[in-house]
Amino acid sequence: MYLKRKIDAFLFEWKNNDNRKPLIVKGPRQVGKTESIRKFAAENYKNVIEINFVTSEKFKKITSDGYDADSVIKNISLIEPSFKFIPNETLIFFDEIQAYSEIATSLKFFSIDGRFDIICSGSLLGINYKNIESNSVGYKTDYTMYSLDFEEFLWAKGYSDDVISDMLNSMLQLKPFSELQHSVFSSLFLDYCVLGGMPDVVKTYIKNKTFEGTLDLQRQLISDYQEDIRKYAEGLDKARILNVFNSIPSQLAKENKKFQLSKVEKGARFKDYRGCIEWLQDAGMIHTCYCLNSPDLPLKGNYDPDKYKIYFCDTGLFVALLDDEAQEDLRANKNLSVYKGALYESIVGEALVKSGYGLYYYKRDDSTLEQDFFVRTADNLIPIEVKSTNNRTKSLLTLVSNEKYSDIEYGIKLCAGNIGFSNNVYTFPYYCTFLLKRYLKAK
């Protein structure tokens, strides 16, 4: 079973760009990079050469005579003479490049040569990506792939683009969803919250039409991530990285979700853990949400790098790390219990990242003013509040009504309720989060 992904359209556009450069598809493990590239390759090229640097280590010598296209092709042919290199009809797919980052140096020369299309893929685990960046700057295109977002989940469930267009139109017209629509989308979104978007997990859910087997898959993925930390985190304290990774669920369950190292290790110092958190972020395992110094534009450069929240790259993995009693509540009873706020905040943060946003929040030290997320348009800063209930949003109302915050004209509340508007606050259901960027662009 192949699940339609957003990268499919991107790859098609890349192929049809006469000025295309070698492509590097980045992202955490098991999000579907290799499967999507293989499908695209089979449908668009007469000849495909796939080299996996993890399963076929013999290919790690292909740059020994130089990085130019002819030298690399010659050495590939020596190792595997059955490979055929047909100019303008061949895709060369270098997979798992984290195991042989030197191949990135050849991308410049393949780009200049122009006879063959190149796609590279890697999980970034253990990669010194700054080295790859410097060796191929100006001669490559980057694409970051994530686990399925809610739109892709709806595709997997059989919903068409017309349904999604109707959802966006309802938001733009401030037209509440019908009772049936709201019930169906809310139920699907709750399933998505529990499952997350890892392709194997979603496929199992689609095939079985139940949650059966999904928790085992999620826990295996967590074990794989933990093993990757032990295997690839060279030069860093692997135990500390694991401590950070394993502490995220309990940190999110706190009322104050700011990440606190004291909850990871007694007496822990920030400088001892900075590299650990950066490593998890570079590996694609976590998303970091930074605290703004003030709710003003610009966002970049206007935050405290020492104050942040941490979310998992996939909320399903967060859910899978909860205790067995919580699993029963979530999967059997659809009861989110004490984790309700953490779960919805995590899934919204994940959706914003998958839409291309950075994550920022605000908490004023000398008052109760606090805002979950901020995004921006060309002219406005937009505060976003995630409510586990449909009650009043005191902080959000303060931000949109106070002339002191001149960059803010209106805000957005995400909750279990329907579409609405009041006091310059737009209310949307959680399941509309993936459409926010399109909504703000069309508004």
Side-chain angles (χ1 to χ4, degrees):
M1 177 197 303
Y2 181 77
L3 301 179
K4 178 184 174 183
R5 304 298 303 276
K6 292 185 175 178
I7 194 176
D8 299 341
F10 175 86
L11 290 170
F12 183 78
E13 291 174 6
W14 173 80
K15 175 73 167 63
N16 287 280
N17 182 349
D18 292 337
N19 298 315
R20 62 186 172 277
K21 300 175 182 179
L23 174 65
I24 296 182
V25 179
K26 305 180 290 182
R29 64 144 65 220
Q30 300 297 321
V31 296
K33 299 185 297 295
T34 299
E35 183 181 25
S36 292
I37 294 168
R38 282 176 176 166
K39 182 176 185 293
F40 162 76
E43 293 177 351
N44 290 276
Y45 291 88
K46 292 182 179 179
N47 190 46
V48 179
I49 293 168
E50 179 178 336
I51 293 173
N52 185 308
F53 291 113
V54 169
T55 59
S56 299
E57 293 192 8
K58 59 187 177 182
F59 286 104
K60 291 182 179 180
K61 297 179 180 180
I62 59 178
T63 59
S64 58
D65 294 327
Y67 296 99
D68 61 284
D70 285 334
S71 295
V72 173
I73 289 168
K74 181 190 73 174
N75 284 333
I76 292 174
S77 298
L78 281 172
I79 296 169
E80 186 49 74
S82 66
F83 285 160
K84 304 301 179 186
F85 293 85
I86 305 170
N88 304 314
E89 296 182 359
T90 299
L91 173 70
I92 303 174
F93 174 27
F94 294 120
D95 200 8
E96 303 288 7
I97 64 168
Q98 75 273 8
Y100 188 61
S101 58
E102 280 194 35
I103 194 62
T105 305
S106 72
L107 299 185
K108 172 181 177 179
F109 301 98
F110 274 107
S111 180
I112 294 170
D113 181 89
R115 290 175 293 164
F116 311 102
D117 286 350
I118 308 291
I119 297 180
C120 301
S121 176
S123 64
L124 293 190
L125 297 176
I127 272 191
N128 182 351
Y129 196 70
K130 292 181 177 64
N131 185 46
I132 289 178
E133 181 73 31
S134 63
N135 287 343
S136 54
V137 64
Y139 294 96
K140 65 175 178 61
T141 298
D142 287 323
Y143 182 91
T144 301
M145 190 172 181
Y146 302 101
S147 61
L148 281 79
D149 67 6
F150 188 55
E151 182 172 15
E152 291 170 313
F153 182 79
L154 289 176
W155 291 341
K157 289 289 291 181
Y159 290 91
S160 68
D161 288 333
D162 289 340
V163 171
I164 291 160
S165 294
D166 288 343
M167 292 175 70
L168 178 58
N169 286 333
S170 292
M171 295 171 68
L172 290 168
Q173 297 168 17
L174 291 178
K175 176 185 174 184
F177 294 107
S178 70
E179 185 177 342
L180 177 61
Q181 286 175 313
H182 187 58
S183 174
V184 169
F185 291 138
S186 295
S187 179
L188 286 167
F189 188 73
L190 184 54
D191 285 356
Y192 173 70
C193 288
V194 175
L195 292 162
M198 289 299 189
D200 285 348
V201 176
V202 175
K203 287 177 184 178
T204 300
Y205 162 81
I206 298 293
K207 179 182 177 182
N208 295 336
K209 299 180 180 178
T210 68
F211 290 121
E212 180 185 354
T214 58
L215 180 57
D216 290 339
L217 282 174
Q218 289 170 318
R219 285 179 169 170
Q220 182 57 55
L221 282 166
I222 290 167
S223 294
D224 291 342
Y225 274 42
Q226 291 167 333
E227 183 57 34
D228 283 333
I229 293 170
R230 298 184 188 97
K231 182 177 180 181
Y232 290 111
E234 298 176 0
L236 290 170
D237 189 324
K238 300 177 184 182
R240 283 179 175 163
I241 297 177
L242 283 167
N243 286 344
V244 171
F245 183 84
N246 294 331
S247 76
I248 295 173
S250 61
Q251 300 254 10
L252 288 176
K254 302 190 298 239
E255 184 174 348
N256 173 17
K257 297 177 179 62
K258 174 188 169 187
F259 193 82
Q260 296 174 291
L261 287 176
S262 60
K263 304 294 183 182
V264 179
E265 178 186 353
K266 188 176 181 180
R269 297 177 298 178
F270 181 79
K271 67 176 184 177
D272 295 329
Y273 274 85
R274 179 186 290 275
C276 302
I277 293 163
E278 288 178 349
W279 190 93
L280 287 168
Q281 184 168 285
D282 289 343
M285 293 183 180
I286 64 171
H287 301 312
T288 308
C289 181
Y290 291 101
C291 183
L292 293 174
N293 293 316
S294 62
D296 302 291
L297 292 174
L299 292 174
K300 291 184 178 179
N302 178 29
Y303 65 86
D304 187 338
D306 295 341
K307 293 181 181 178
Y308 49 85
K309 302 176 187 178
I310 293 178
Y311 304 104
F312 279 111
C313 64
D314 184 87
T315 301
L317 301 185
F318 161 49
V319 169
L321 276 168
L322 302 180
D323 53 55
D324 289 339
E325 290 75 18
Q327 300 300 331
E328 178 74 17
D329 265 356
L330 284 165
R331 294 168 196 270
N333 305 323
K334 299 292 182 76
N335 177 20
L336 305 184
S337 63
V338 296
Y339 294 101
K340 183 185 295 184
L343 182 62
Y344 285 131
E345 188 174 316
S346 180
I347 203 78
V348 167
E350 181 187 333
L352 293 175
V353 170
K354 290 176 177 179
S355 297
Y357 289 115
L359 296 184
Y360 302 94
Y361 76 102
Y362 179 68
K363 186 176 189 332
R364 187 168 168 178
D365 292 333
D366 59 354
S367 77
T368 58
L369 184 62
E370 182 174 5
Q371 199 59 58
D372 297 319
F373 298 106
F374 288 85
V375 297
R376 67 165 299 172
T377 61
D379 303 313
N380 295 115
L381 180 65
I382 300 136
I384 297 175
E385 185 149 345
V386 183
K387 300 295 289 185
S388 57
T389 58
N390 198 16
N391 55 10
R392 289 178 59 83
T393 55
K394 183 179 178 181
S395 291
L396 187 55
L397 290 172
T398 298
L399 288 170
V400 299
S401 62
N402 194 326
E403 294 181 358
K404 175 183 177 182
Y405 307 114
S406 57
D407 292 325
I408 299 173
E409 293 184 1
Y410 60 90
I412 293 173
K413 180 176 76 170
L414 298 169
C415 64
N418 214 318
I419 293 174
F421 177 75
S422 178
N423 298 317
N424 287 330
V425 172
Y426 295 87
T427 299
F428 298 116
Y430 303 119
Y431 54 76
C432 289
T433 308
F434 77 94
L435 288 167
L436 282 184
K437 194 163 195 175
R438 274 170 267 184
Y439 167 79
L440 293 171
K441 185 176 181 180
K443 186 176 180 295

